[in-house]
Amino acid sequence: MTPAGFYYSSNAFSAPEHGGTHLDAPVHFAKDHLSVDQVPLSNLTGNAVVIDVSEKALKNRDYLISVNDIENWEKKNGKIPDSSIVLFKTGLGKFYPNAKNYFGTDVKGVDAIPLLHFPGIDPGAAEWLVSQRKIKALGLDTPSIDYGQSKDFKTHQVVLAKNIPAFENVANLDKLPTKGSYIVALPMKIEHGSGGPLRIIVWIRN
């Protein structure tokens, strides 16, 4: 309550560009490419497909999503439509925010880096997706599109070099159908940002 007799609330906050559910802009790993404020809305909105690799990923914390996983999905569901947003469900999302179960370690900071164990996308699968399919964006329910033990972040390099944004730490993928959902993924519009906090909403067709 203010001295004038009315209620008033205002806060300040700070946050990393790459914490929580967030977007990786192409410039994150590709020099002179699009920053988060430059990523077109056409890349952030559209029809999505969900490729479920949880059976394998939950058995192997270092699992790398392969071309074979994608091709097996297509055998059942048809070719990934052009201009799709591709989301991979590893099943790890159910562990968030338990650091030990989600990241593979509850150690913080630089000391945690060699202890990280979570699934990611094999660079070969990333190269196949960006060269053989026309995708708008790529996302998954882990901290990174590269697996936890990656040393060169090659999947980031491959995907972002094509000006395709990535969504990381995506929640609630278990609630989405394999096909038939429409994504609106709007990041905080940070000028020259390498990424930003991301609010994703989904419309599911009946």
Side-chain angles (χ1 to χ4, degrees):
M1 293 301 297
T2 66
F6 59 85
Y7 174 81
Y8 175 78
S9 177
S10 178
N11 303 292
F13 79 97
S14 64
E17 291 179 329
H18 300 276
T21 300
H22 67 275
L23 177 138
D24 283 359
V27 76
H28 186 36
F29 272 83
K31 186 177 180 181
D32 297 326
H33 282 53
L34 298 176
S35 56
V36 69
D37 56 313
Q38 296 172 327
V39 175
L41 286 175
S42 57
N43 282 86
L44 304 175
T45 58
N47 295 313
V49 301
V50 178
I51 299 176
D52 186 353
V53 296
S54 58
E55 184 175 351
K56 296 176 181 177
L58 289 173
K59 293 177 181 177
N60 177 8
R61 294 199 61 90
D62 297 320
Y63 187 71
L64 288 170
I65 298 164
S66 67
V67 174
N68 190 55
D69 290 321
I70 304 167
E71 290 180 330
N72 284 339
W73 183 92
E74 290 193 329
K75 287 176 184 177
K76 296 178 181 178
N77 299 284
K79 181 180 177 182
I80 296 172
D82 289 351
S83 300
S84 289
I85 295 173
V86 177
L87 302 172
F88 290 102
K89 180 174 68 175
T90 71
L92 250 69
K94 68 181 180 181
F95 297 128
Y96 192 88
N98 184 301
K100 178 71 173 178
N101 291 333
Y102 188 65
F103 293 97
T105 179
D106 51 13
V107 176
K108 305 293 184 183
V110 176
D111 292 339
I113 294 175
L115 305 176
L116 295 173
H117 289 279
F118 51 78
I121 304 166
D122 186 271
E127 183 63 51
W128 188 90
L129 269 176
V130 302
S131 63
Q132 302 301 315
R133 298 293 180 266
K134 297 177 181 179
I135 66 172
K136 288 186 171 188
L138 187 63
L140 77 177
D141 56 349
T142 74
S144 171
I145 58 173
D146 277 287
Y147 82 132
Q149 287 292 296
S150 178
K151 301 297 187 292
D152 57 7
F153 304 98
K154 186 64 176 179
T155 294
H156 276 86
Q157 296 183 53
V158 168
V159 173
L160 301 183
K162 298 294 186 180
N163 272 327
I164 296 170
F167 310 153
E168 296 172 332
N169 291 323
V170 179
N172 299 316
L173 286 185
D174 57 310
K175 297 180 180 179
L176 301 189
T178 300
K179 298 187 293 184
S181 59
Y182 188 90
I183 298 286
V184 177
L186 301 181
M188 184 179 289
K189 196 174 182 181
I190 303 170
E191 187 174 14
H192 309 307
S194 67
L198 182 65
R199 180 74 185 272
I200 302 177
I201 62 172
V202 181
W203 176 61
I204 300 175
R205 295 183 180 87
N206 293 326

